[in-house]
Amino acid sequence: PTASASGPTLTETLMLGPMSPTSSFAVGSVMIGPDGKFELHQLIDRQVFRLIGSSRGWYLKSVTMDGKDISDTGYEFKAGERVSGLTVSLTDRPTTLTGTFEDDRRRPVADYTAVVFPADRARWVFGTRSVRAVRPDQNGRFEVKGLPAGDYRVVALEYVEPGEETDPDRLQKWNTMGTSLTLAEAESKSVTLRLMR
């Protein structure tokens, strides 16, 4: 199948990554034309589109098909099908969440993993943009850019196995421990939170 899509009015190469739970991650390099359009070929099964890399600070805002948001649900491609009406919207004003963590004596903690995830369990799906696990910088501060606007929980743990942040059972456990916060469109927010041991 071929997916015709519109993107930003930029002449540059973007990396879009179709992916599905049953197939390996595939990256397609596409050239955005001056009219903001591009094409992807040989797509099969349900695909969730992600911006893998771009220049000038662009972040994925949404993916829609004929006006319906499919950013996290994806689209089911069928053999021989030609699809149009797919729109990838980018933004150069992403949400930004920064923060630090303290121990129970209010001393700064420099070694931890921060996990940010949606308050809404329905958004704990494969390929979601709304779950992140990040390590702090040398000053003990973490940063997460490009989360969709919404309500979140954030928790810091001493150790998180790679990929553990995508396990709904783990997220459910951390949900009772996490600190609640809300991010609005293009908002920058800084928080100081308590490390969970």
Side-chain angles (χ1 to χ4, degrees):
T2 297
S4 299
S6 61
T9 307
L10 301 169
T11 303
E12 62 175 301
T13 300
L14 300 179
M15 301 297 288
L16 289 177
M19 59 183 176
S20 72
T22 58
S23 64
S24 60
F25 189 81
V27 176
S29 175
V30 295
M31 177 66 74
I32 306 296
D35 57 357
K37 294 183 178 180
F38 61 85
E39 288 191 354
L40 290 171
H41 301 272
Q42 299 180 335
L43 300 178
I44 58 172
D45 299 327
R46 182 167 296 276
Q47 302 292 336
V48 180
F49 294 87
R50 291 291 174 262
L51 183 67
I52 305 305
S54 71
S55 62
R56 292 194 263 180
W58 291 100
Y59 292 81
L60 183 67
K61 183 176 182 179
S62 66
V63 181
T64 60
M65 175 66 78
D66 295 329
K68 180 182 178 181
D69 193 321
I70 61 166
S71 301
D72 287 330
T73 58
Y75 182 81
E76 185 81 26
F77 290 92
K78 299 176 177 61
E81 180 183 31
R82 183 174 180 86
V83 177
S84 60
L86 179 71
T87 301
V88 178
S89 298
L90 306 182
T91 179
D92 58 357
R93 298 183 62 221
T95 60
T96 302
L97 175 64
T98 60
T100 56
F101 282 84
E102 299 175 339
D103 63 16
D104 53 8
R105 296 184 181 180
R106 296 192 178 280
R107 296 175 300 189
V109 177
D111 186 17
Y112 63 87
T113 297
V115 180
V116 185
F117 57 98
D120 182 4
R121 185 184 175 93
R123 294 171 65 191
W124 302 353
V125 296
F126 175 83
T128 180
R129 302 165 296 149
S130 303
V131 177
R132 304 283 182 84
V134 295
R135 296 281 297 164
D137 62 19
Q138 61 185 4
N139 297 314
R141 178 174 293 274
F142 74 90
E143 180 180 77
V144 179
K145 281 184 173 289
L147 288 168
D151 297 322
Y152 289 89
R153 302 276 194 272
V154 57
V155 62
L157 302 118
E158 291 182 297
Y159 178 73
V160 176
E161 292 184 6
E164 192 175 14
E165 74 278 4
T166 64
D167 182 349
D169 291 335
R170 280 294 182 186
L171 293 180
Q172 183 60 48
K173 178 180 179 180
W174 297 337
N175 195 39
T176 62
M177 303 160 50
T179 299
S180 299
L181 58 87
T182 298
L183 283 173
E185 289 283 351
E187 181 179 14
S188 293
K189 179 170 287 188
S190 182
V191 294
T192 300
L193 304 169
R194 189 66 55 86
L195 176 69
M196 299 295 176
R197 299 189 182 278

